[in-house]
């Protein structure tokens, strides 16, 4: 950190009703962020130079809404959609990742970097055929190997983006590593995996589990949290990150 922790600016509201005005504001900020994610992803996929600064602005705006009312902002973002777009899921991943970062005591710049990384960590999915992305069956070995190339594909797309913090490519490349060394693409272990990547691995798993796919129904948030606790016990995810995630999601 080069500045004060964002957590110092977060308002704690206690046991009061959600403010409907803030909830509406959070939805509007989220829509603008989703539009920015769509624009940047589309430009990168089309082989054009993409302005990553748009995502930095979106992340900064989301930090403001999180600081005003973190629980309300997360609750509004995670209201169920029948068929969320890649941008919507990316934003939820970024918001939860930033919330975890705030609990970890990260400063503004680092929290923004986590947000940008969360927005872009799955951009490589756009390079996979729909038969893999939308499969309603267990993937074949060859398809699983293609899925494991997503971090590399994301990294290649990031090369077409301007204004992205230097740490973001590292985080995006490591976000599917696991503390016990069973992740990919490099099989890194423990603290060899960047803190931001460990945070986003947990947020990404939570977002994935609480959304339905053609292969399975969505889990209830409680069940998803329970699954993450079991994974933490097995050293599949970082236990400290899961603990901090529970601080911002349990109520």
């Amino acid at each position: 950190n080069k500045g004060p922790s964002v957590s110092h600016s977060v308002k704690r509201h206690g046991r009061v009703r959600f403010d409907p005005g803030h909830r509406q504001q959070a939805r509007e900020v989220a829509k603008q962020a989703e539009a920015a994610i769509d624009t940047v992803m589309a430009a990168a996929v089309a082989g054009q130079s993409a302005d990553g600064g748009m995502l930095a602005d979106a992340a900064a705006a989301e930090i403001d809404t999180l600081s005003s009312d973190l629980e309300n902002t997360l609750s509004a973002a995670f209201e169920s959609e029948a068929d969320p777009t890649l941008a919507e899921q990316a934003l939820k991943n970024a918001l939860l990742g930033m919330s975890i970062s705030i609990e970890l005591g990260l400063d503004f710049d680092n929290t923004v970097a986590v947000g940008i990384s969360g927005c872009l960590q799955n951009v490589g999915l756009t390079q996979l055929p729909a038969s893999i992305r939308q499969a309603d069956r267990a993937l074949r070995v060859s398809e699983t190997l293609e899925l494991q190339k997503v971090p590399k594909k994301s990294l290649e797309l990031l090369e077409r983006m301007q204004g992205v913090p230097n740490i973001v490519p590292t985080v995006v490349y490591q976000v599917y590593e696991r503390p016990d060394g069973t992740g990919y693409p490099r099989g890194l272990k423990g603290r060899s995996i960047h803190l931001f990547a460990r945070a986003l691995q947990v947020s990404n798993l939570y977002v994935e589990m609480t959304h339905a796919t053609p292969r399975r129904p969505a889990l209830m948030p409680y069940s998803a949290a329970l699954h993450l606790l079991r994974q933490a016990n097995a050293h599949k995810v970082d236990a400290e990150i899961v603990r901090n995630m529970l601080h911002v999601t349990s109520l």
Side-chain angles (χ1 to χ4, degrees):
N1 285 346
K2 295 181 180 178
S5 167
V6 176
S7 63
H8 295 158
S9 64
V10 174
K11 296 179 182 177
R12 305 295 177 179
H13 295 276
R15 294 179 298 168
V16 297
R17 291 179 182 272
F18 283 157
D19 176 3
H22 179 88
R23 200 172 187 79
Q24 183 58 36
Q25 177 193 358
R27 289 195 183 104
E28 292 171 359
V29 172
K31 286 180 181 177
Q32 294 170 3
E34 288 166 13
I37 295 169
D38 266 332
T39 299
V40 172
M41 282 186 176
V45 170
Q48 302 168 357
S49 178
D51 181 12
M54 294 176 64
L55 298 182
D57 292 341
E62 290 290 6
I63 289 173
D64 283 343
T65 59
L66 286 168
S67 296
S68 298
D69 193 335
L70 191 148
E71 292 86 357
N72 197 358
T73 300
L74 277 182
S75 174
F78 275 80
E79 286 178 343
S80 60
E81 292 104 6
D83 187 19
T85 66
L86 183 58
E88 288 169 342
Q89 286 195 275
L91 179 61
K92 290 178 182 180
N93 183 38
L95 277 173
L96 184 53
M98 286 192 291
S99 300
I100 293 170
S101 301
I102 291 170
E103 285 293 313
L104 288 169
L106 298 189
D107 66 9
F108 181 85
D109 288 345
N110 281 328
T111 303
V112 166
V114 170
I116 296 172
S117 301
C119 289
L120 296 174
Q121 74 179 56
N122 287 323
V123 66
L125 284 173
T126 60
Q127 306 298 289
L128 295 183
S131 60
I132 295 178
R133 288 186 286 108
Q134 301 169 5
D136 58 358
R137 51 172 173 76
L139 295 180
R140 294 187 287 270
V141 173
S142 60
E143 293 172 325
T144 299
L145 292 174
E146 285 300 310
L147 190 63
Q148 292 178 354
K149 294 177 183 177
V150 166
K152 183 174 184 295
K153 293 178 185 294
S154 296
L155 204 60
E156 291 167 352
L157 291 173
L158 277 170
E159 292 174 355
R160 302 171 188 170
M161 296 183 190
Q162 308 286 332
V164 173
N166 292 334
I167 194 60
V168 169
T170 298
V171 177
V172 168
Y173 192 61
Q174 292 185 357
V175 79
Y176 286 103
E177 301 286 0
R178 286 182 173 269
D180 66 350
T182 60
Y184 58 88
R186 299 290 299 277
L188 300 178
K189 291 184 177 182
R191 301 287 168 165
S192 298
I193 306 167
H194 197 283
L195 174 66
F196 300 177
R198 284 182 271 137
L200 287 169
Q201 183 205 14
V202 169
S203 65
N204 185 64
L205 282 170
Y206 183 83
V207 171
E208 285 187 348
M209 287 189 289
T210 53
H211 284 81
T213 72
R215 279 184 282 175
R216 56 157 182 79
L219 291 182
M220 293 292 289
Y222 176 86
S223 297
L226 190 61
H227 181 74
L228 284 170
L229 285 168
R230 289 172 179 152
Q231 293 237 323
N233 190 53
H235 306 293
K236 297 290 185 182
V237 296
D238 188 307
E240 180 188 7
I241 301 297
V242 173
R243 186 179 300 113
N244 281 277
M245 188 209 78
L246 291 175
H247 288 167
V248 296
T249 62
S250 60
L251 288 180

